[in-house]
Amino acid sequence: MSERTVIQIYTTDENREWLEQLADEEDTSISEYGHEMIEDHIDRETGEHQYGRYGTDTEIEVILDSLKEELGETLDQFESETLEEVRHIQRVRTAYLISIWKLIKDDYSTAEQQLAMKFAERFTGQELNTESEAILAGEGSSSEDGQGSAGAAGDGA
């Protein structure tokens, strides 16, 4: 404990009564209560309790700004860590979907394939790439597909 120095102050009787009442409420002496008041004032003036000098609304705003900044940094970090993983998953998913489509497309007519694409457009709410429709129409009428279908049909016979 640091050495204490005596400070004598002069005040009004009302202030002395008020200080006595506050000290009694805190269950301490006037001297100790005055010491705590001086410590609090020094802390505010030196910035050790930087929010103590602000009103409650300002303190809340400062805390919210700090939280917003921290949340933004956390989200940026999360996005940078997971973005490549999400892209990889999307590429794999797309490859699987193309493979499935390629495997079953011979089981359905061009009209049924186009109907399925229209259903997918309505379901997703997005217009699908017309390149997919061109692939469907082009591959369905190619001689290579015809040979593949004929070969498959011949193998089954």
Side-chain angles (χ1 to χ4, degrees), residues 101 109-122 128 133 136:
W101 184 263
S109 70
T110 303
E112 290 172 317
Q113 292 173 18
Q114 288 174 347
L115 181 63
M117 292 295 280
K118 288 181 185 191
F119 171 77
E121 284 180 345
R122 277 184 291 167
L128 297 177
E133 292 175 19
L136 289 176

Short mmCIF file of all heavy atoms in Angstrom, two decimals, residues 101 109-122 128 133 136:
data_model
loop_
_atom_site.label_atom_id
_atom_site.label_comp_id
_atom_site.label_asym_id
_atom_site.label_seq_id
_atom_site.Cartn_x
_atom_site.Cartn_y
_atom_site.Cartn_z
N TRP A 101 -26.61 -36.16 -65.88
CA TRP A 101 -27.38 -35.77 -67.07
C TRP A 101 -26.89 -36.56 -68.28
O TRP A 101 -27.70 -37.08 -69.06
CB TRP A 101 -27.24 -34.27 -67.30
CG TRP A 101 -28.07 -33.80 -68.45
CD1 TRP A 101 -27.67 -33.60 -69.73
CD2 TRP A 101 -29.46 -33.47 -68.42
NE1 TRP A 101 -28.71 -33.17 -70.50
CE2 TRP A 101 -29.82 -33.08 -69.73
CE3 TRP A 101 -30.42 -33.47 -67.44
CZ2 TRP A 101 -31.11 -32.70 -70.05
CZ3 TRP A 101 -31.70 -33.09 -67.77
CH2 TRP A 101 -32.04 -32.71 -69.06
N SER A 109 -36.54 -38.35 -74.37
CA SER A 109 -36.59 -37.63 -75.65
C SER A 109 -36.14 -36.19 -75.45
O SER A 109 -36.10 -35.68 -74.33
CB SER A 109 -38.01 -37.65 -76.22
OG SER A 109 -38.85 -36.83 -75.41
N THR A 110 -35.85 -35.52 -76.58
CA THR A 110 -35.45 -34.12 -76.53
C THR A 110 -36.54 -33.27 -75.92
O THR A 110 -36.27 -32.37 -75.11
CB THR A 110 -35.12 -33.61 -77.96
OG1 THR A 110 -34.09 -34.45 -78.50
CG2 THR A 110 -34.64 -32.18 -77.94
N ALA A 111 -37.80 -33.55 -76.21
CA ALA A 111 -38.91 -32.79 -75.65
C ALA A 111 -38.96 -32.96 -74.13
O ALA A 111 -39.18 -32.00 -73.39
CB ALA A 111 -40.22 -33.23 -76.27
N GLU A 112 -38.75 -34.19 -73.65
CA GLU A 112 -38.76 -34.42 -72.20
C GLU A 112 -37.58 -33.73 -71.53
O GLU A 112 -37.70 -33.19 -70.43
CB GLU A 112 -38.72 -35.92 -71.91
CG GLU A 112 -40.01 -36.64 -72.27
CD GLU A 112 -39.89 -38.16 -72.17
OE1 GLU A 112 -38.87 -38.71 -72.61
OE2 GLU A 112 -40.83 -38.78 -71.63
N GLN A 113 -36.44 -33.70 -72.20
CA GLN A 113 -35.26 -33.03 -71.64
C GLN A 113 -35.51 -31.52 -71.54
O GLN A 113 -35.18 -30.89 -70.54
CB GLN A 113 -34.03 -33.31 -72.52
CG GLN A 113 -33.59 -34.75 -72.47
CD GLN A 113 -32.47 -35.05 -73.46
OE1 GLN A 113 -31.81 -34.14 -73.95
NE2 GLN A 113 -32.28 -36.33 -73.76
N GLN A 114 -36.11 -30.97 -72.60
CA GLN A 114 -36.40 -29.53 -72.57
C GLN A 114 -37.45 -29.20 -71.51
O GLN A 114 -37.36 -28.18 -70.84
CB GLN A 114 -36.85 -29.07 -73.96
CG GLN A 114 -35.70 -29.05 -74.95
CD GLN A 114 -36.16 -28.73 -76.37
OE1 GLN A 114 -37.35 -28.76 -76.66
NE2 GLN A 114 -35.19 -28.46 -77.23
N LEU A 115 -38.43 -30.08 -71.33
CA LEU A 115 -39.43 -29.88 -70.29
C LEU A 115 -38.77 -29.89 -68.90
O LEU A 115 -39.09 -29.06 -68.05
CB LEU A 115 -40.52 -30.97 -70.38
CG LEU A 115 -41.64 -30.87 -69.35
CD1 LEU A 115 -42.44 -29.58 -69.56
CD2 LEU A 115 -42.56 -32.09 -69.47
N ALA A 116 -37.84 -30.80 -68.71
CA ALA A 116 -37.11 -30.87 -67.44
C ALA A 116 -36.31 -29.59 -67.21
O ALA A 116 -36.25 -29.07 -66.09
CB ALA A 116 -36.19 -32.09 -67.43
N MET A 117 -35.70 -29.05 -68.26
CA MET A 117 -34.93 -27.81 -68.13
C MET A 117 -35.86 -26.64 -67.78
O MET A 117 -35.51 -25.80 -66.94
CB MET A 117 -34.18 -27.51 -69.44
CG MET A 117 -33.06 -28.49 -69.75
SD MET A 117 -31.72 -28.43 -68.55
CE MET A 117 -30.84 -27.02 -69.11
N LYS A 118 -37.06 -26.61 -68.39
CA LYS A 118 -38.01 -25.54 -68.08
C LYS A 118 -38.48 -25.65 -66.62
O LYS A 118 -38.63 -24.65 -65.93
CB LYS A 118 -39.19 -25.57 -69.04
CG LYS A 118 -38.82 -25.09 -70.42
CD LYS A 118 -39.99 -25.08 -71.36
CE LYS A 118 -39.46 -24.68 -72.73
NZ LYS A 118 -40.48 -24.40 -73.67
N PHE A 119 -38.70 -26.89 -66.17
CA PHE A 119 -39.08 -27.08 -64.77
C PHE A 119 -37.97 -26.57 -63.85
O PHE A 119 -38.23 -25.89 -62.86
CB PHE A 119 -39.35 -28.56 -64.49
CG PHE A 119 -39.54 -28.86 -63.03
CD1 PHE A 119 -40.74 -28.54 -62.40
CD2 PHE A 119 -38.52 -29.41 -62.28
CE1 PHE A 119 -40.91 -28.79 -61.04
CE2 PHE A 119 -38.69 -29.65 -60.92
CZ PHE A 119 -39.88 -29.35 -60.30
N ALA A 120 -36.74 -26.87 -64.20
CA ALA A 120 -35.60 -26.43 -63.38
C ALA A 120 -35.53 -24.91 -63.35
O ALA A 120 -35.24 -24.31 -62.31
CB ALA A 120 -34.30 -27.02 -63.93
N GLU A 121 -35.80 -24.26 -64.48
CA GLU A 121 -35.81 -22.79 -64.52
C GLU A 121 -36.86 -22.22 -63.58
O GLU A 121 -36.60 -21.28 -62.83
CB GLU A 121 -36.05 -22.29 -65.95
CG GLU A 121 -34.86 -22.41 -66.85
CD GLU A 121 -35.15 -21.91 -68.26
OE1 GLU A 121 -36.34 -21.73 -68.63
OE2 GLU A 121 -34.18 -21.71 -69.01
N ARG A 122 -38.07 -22.80 -63.64
CA ARG A 122 -39.14 -22.32 -62.75
C ARG A 122 -38.81 -22.59 -61.29
O ARG A 122 -39.04 -21.76 -60.42
CB ARG A 122 -40.48 -22.97 -63.10
CG ARG A 122 -41.18 -22.28 -64.26
CD ARG A 122 -42.51 -22.88 -64.49
NE ARG A 122 -42.25 -24.24 -65.01
CZ ARG A 122 -43.13 -25.20 -65.13
NH1 ARG A 122 -44.36 -25.00 -64.78
NH2 ARG A 122 -42.81 -26.37 -65.59
N LEU A 128 -31.84 -20.64 -67.19
CA LEU A 128 -30.67 -21.48 -67.35
C LEU A 128 -29.94 -21.14 -68.63
O LEU A 128 -30.50 -20.60 -69.58
CB LEU A 128 -31.08 -22.96 -67.33
CG LEU A 128 -31.72 -23.43 -66.02
CD1 LEU A 128 -32.15 -24.87 -66.13
CD2 LEU A 128 -30.75 -23.25 -64.87
N GLU A 133 -29.20 -26.15 -73.49
CA GLU A 133 -30.27 -26.57 -74.39
C GLU A 133 -29.70 -26.89 -75.77
O GLU A 133 -30.13 -27.83 -76.42
CB GLU A 133 -31.33 -25.48 -74.49
CG GLU A 133 -32.10 -25.30 -73.19
CD GLU A 133 -33.08 -24.16 -73.24
OE1 GLU A 133 -33.44 -23.72 -74.34
OE2 GLU A 133 -33.48 -23.70 -72.17
N LEU A 136 -28.19 -30.23 -75.62
CA LEU A 136 -29.23 -31.25 -75.66
C LEU A 136 -29.71 -31.49 -77.08
O LEU A 136 -29.80 -32.62 -77.54
CB LEU A 136 -30.42 -30.83 -74.80
CG LEU A 136 -30.22 -30.84 -73.29
CD1 LEU A 136 -31.48 -30.30 -72.62
CD2 LEU A 136 -29.91 -32.23 -72.80
#
